[in-house]
Amino acid sequence: MKHGIYYSYWEHEWSAKFGPYVEKVAKLGFDVIEVAAHHINEYSDADLAAIKQSARDNGIILTAGIGPSRAKNLSSPDSTVRAAGKAFFEQTLTNVAKLDIKTIGGALHSYWPVDYTQPVDKVGDRARGVEGIYGIADFANDLGINLCIEVLNRFENHVLNTAAEGVAFVNDVGKSNVKVMLDTFHMNIEEDSFGDAIRTAGPLLGHFHTGESNRRVPGKGRIPWHEVGLALRKIHYTGVVVMEPFVKTGGTIGSDIRVWRDLTDGADEAKMDEDARNSLAFSRFVLGG
Ligand SMILES: O=C(CO)[C@H](O)[C@H](O)[C@H](O)CO
Ligand SMILES: [Mn+2]
């Protein structure tokens, strides 16, 4: 098991440059950095080559996260939007591959965060989402990339809220590089049991996010980490565990994640780093790896 952190922990915008964080997370002892793929198409080939080299030099593996915008929604009832989504993913995956990234996770099958002022068509969105992911799976596979479909809580997305729904979706897609992704923050809201949910995903679990119930770093709250660790061991999970703490207010990240109070306790960057380092030690101890 490898351990990583989403660089957005330190940032306010998904568009923030992620290159400088490769060395930082290596110094903190992580194996992996997760970067936001939302704006990767704005990076030049030279930028991407430099980041790839920096990852090699620092012994860091990259993974990618994405919350597709409404205009790039693979499950939209509007076929023009679905086509734009497909084109966006093909370009994004092509650039993601330039960083040797093998895992991209998030609400790939939909858009994020969902606008609930509009009526919701769960059945239709799910069916179009299965088709949309099926339609990009081989493209991703040819680049060696797994598509990890994140199960989110009801307030952020309606298509997949439980591990069981995630497994059924991935089975319907039926492509070996399309996997289920779970996140302890969302599981805490939706699942009856953390252990059962992880065991339900079993061999289909392709990526795993961690965070407390208020998205502080793992170890600061009341998620049953021992139960989570036992279940990950039980299913012989050998993938990546990426902590995804969101503790800062402000910017698009603060607004998308609904961070309306300072959860850093006034931390400066050195204290933020120390919290991440301590949480990594906690995560390795309790989850393994
Ligand atoms: O858990 C999440 C949202 O609550 C997601 O992993 C990411 O934050 C989202 O896909 C944006 O990258
Ligand atoms: Mn997540």
Side-chain angles (χ1 to χ4, degrees):
M1 196 186 291
K2 296 204 181 310
H3 287 270
I5 185 165
Y6 203 177
Y7 88 119
S8 48
Y9 171 59
W10 289 277
E11 285 292 348
H12 292 108
E13 297 299 331
W14 304 115
S15 58
K17 295 285 175 214
F18 49 74
Y21 286 93
V22 171
E23 197 180 337
K24 181 185 186 73
V25 306
K27 284 192 174 140
L28 291 173
F30 288 93
D31 313 307
V32 173
I33 183 167
E34 187 148 309
V35 302
H38 306 59
H39 296 275
I40 199 169
N41 299 334
E42 292 156 24
Y43 285 63
S44 68
D45 279 353
D47 288 339
L48 296 175
I51 295 167
K52 179 174 157 173
Q53 189 57 47
S54 165
R56 282 206 180 143
D57 294 346
N58 286 285
I60 287 289
I61 295 166
L62 284 94
T63 58
I66 192 159
S69 72
R70 198 170 185 178
K72 312 282 164 55
N73 177 7
L74 287 177
S75 71
S76 169
D78 180 340
S79 62
T80 331
V81 173
R82 293 202 299 279
K86 187 167 193 223
F88 169 74
F89 270 104
E90 289 182 353
Q91 195 188 359
T92 299
L93 292 168
T94 301
N95 285 321
V96 155
K98 291 176 189 163
L99 293 172
D100 274 346
I101 288 176
K102 306 290 177 208
T103 301
I104 184 166
L108 314 174
H109 58 293
S110 181
Y111 76 104
W112 179 88
V114 165
D115 172 9
Y116 284 124
T117 63
Q118 305 300 311
V120 158
D121 171 15
K122 174 158 172 159
V123 173
D125 290 349
R126 184 193 184 281
R128 287 182 292 269
V130 167
E131 208 175 295
I133 293 296
Y134 184 89
I136 60 167
D138 287 348
F139 188 92
N141 201 39
D142 289 346
L143 295 167
I145 297 174
N146 281 346
L147 304 175
C148 297
I149 311 300
E150 190 170 15
V151 174
L152 298 166
N153 78 72
R154 67 188 67 185
F155 304 107
E156 296 182 38
N157 193 270
H158 55 293
V159 183
L160 303 173
N161 296 144
T162 64
E165 287 183 318
V167 166
F169 183 96
V170 162
N171 282 335
D172 281 1
V173 174
K175 292 281 184 183
S176 60
N177 65 320
V178 177
K179 312 256 189 194
V180 176
M181 171 173 172
L182 297 177
D183 176 325
T184 60
F185 166 75
H186 303 293
M187 294 165 80
N188 177 61
I189 295 172
E190 301 294 347
E191 304 286 358
D192 291 320
S193 152
F194 283 84
D196 284 352
I198 291 167
R199 288 186 293 272
T200 296
L204 290 179
L205 187 65
H207 200 45
F208 197 72
H209 271 174
T210 56
E212 294 291 356
S213 58
N214 52 15
R215 305 204 102 153
R216 286 192 207 263
V217 295
K220 284 211 176 206
R222 54 183 168 73
I223 295 292
W225 294 110
H226 184 61
E227 179 184 344
V228 170
L230 281 178
L232 290 174
R233 285 186 183 90
K234 172 90 183 165
I235 66 164
H236 306 295
Y237 183 68
T238 53
V240 177
V241 171
V242 170
M243 64 174 73
E244 193 190 27
F246 291 108
V247 287
K248 289 182 169 195
T249 58
T252 313
I253 296 180
S255 149
D256 282 350
I257 300 288
R258 315 292 192 235
V259 186
W260 309 126
R261 68 188 196 282
D262 176 28
L263 286 151
T264 73
D265 303 321
D268 59 10
E269 190 169 343
K271 177 70 169 78
M272 293 278 290
D273 292 359
E274 190 191 325
D275 282 356
R277 196 186 300 108
N278 287 335
S279 182
L280 172 61
F282 172 83
S283 300
R284 287 199 200 276
F285 182 63
V286 75
L287 304 179

